[in-house]
Amino acid sequence: MGRLMTILYLGLAVVVVALGYVRLAPSDPARWHVRPEVSADRDFASGAARLVEAGPDGLARFDAVARAAPRTGVLAGSVGEGMVTYIQRSKWLRFPDYITAWQDGDVLRILSRQRFGSRDLGVNAKRLDRWLARMGEAG
C-alpha cells in the first residue's frame, strides 16, 4: 500500500508541475509576435489562418473584438504599429493560444496557434471564425 501511495503522490506532483509550467511559462514576443505568412484561409492540426478583405480599419475592428474576449490580452504590438499578437488562455487549464493579426493594406492576415500539444481540435479555427463574425457585426 505504501508503494502505491508513493506512486500516486509522484504522479500528482508531476501533474501539478506540468500545469504550473503551462500557466507560468513566459511568452517570448520574439517567438510569437511575427508577421503571419497567410495567403489563404487554412486550418491545420495546431491552429488556423484567415485572410480577410477587411478595409483599412480591419485591424482596429479586430482589436476591439479580441480585447473584449475573455482571458485575452495583448502580448505585443498595437493597432498603430499595424500588427498585434494576443494571448488567450483556455478556461480551465489556462493553455495559451497566440493570435497574430497584421493589417496589410485592406487585407487582414490572421494566424492563431497553440503553444502546447500537437492538435487543437479546431479551437483556433472556431475562435477566428467567431471573432470575424463579431467583427462583421460591429462594422
Side-chain angles (χ1 to χ4, degrees):
M1 184 63 133
R3 181 175 226 174
L4 178 61
M5 292 305 289
T6 301
I7 292 170
L8 286 174
Y9 284 133
L10 285 174
L12 181 61
V14 166
V15 168
V16 168
V17 168
L19 290 176
Y21 178 74
V22 164
R23 288 180 179 224
L24 301 174
S27 295
D28 181 10
R31 177 177 179 193
W32 299 104
H33 186 60
V34 294
R35 185 173 287 176
E37 297 297 326
V38 177
S39 57
D41 289 356
R42 188 168 83 97
D43 297 349
F44 45 97
S46 61
R50 297 292 183 265
L51 181 71
V52 182
E53 289 287 339
D57 66 338
L59 183 57
R61 290 184 293 123
F62 186 84
D63 182 69
V65 171
R67 288 175 184 263
R71 301 172 312 281
T72 304
V74 173
L75 175 66
S78 70
V79 172
E81 293 173 20
M83 186 169 79
V84 185
T85 297
Y86 308 90
I87 181 170
Q88 184 178 59
R89 293 188 174 271
S90 63
K91 187 172 185 177
W92 300 109
L93 297 178
R94 300 293 191 240
F95 281 93
D97 288 337
Y98 298 93
I99 306 99
T100 301
W102 169 44
Q103 184 79 48
D104 183 16
D106 285 349
V107 174
L108 193 57
R109 299 177 191 273
I110 311 165
L111 177 63
S112 183
R113 64 267 191 221
Q114 68 183 34
R115 177 172 180 175
F116 298 104
S118 59
R119 302 191 81 64
D120 74 349
L121 304 175
V123 169
N124 283 285
K126 289 175 189 168
R127 174 190 309 111
L128 287 184
D129 294 341
R130 187 174 57 248
W131 285 9
L132 290 170
R134 288 185 184 147
M135 189 177 106
E137 293 166 4

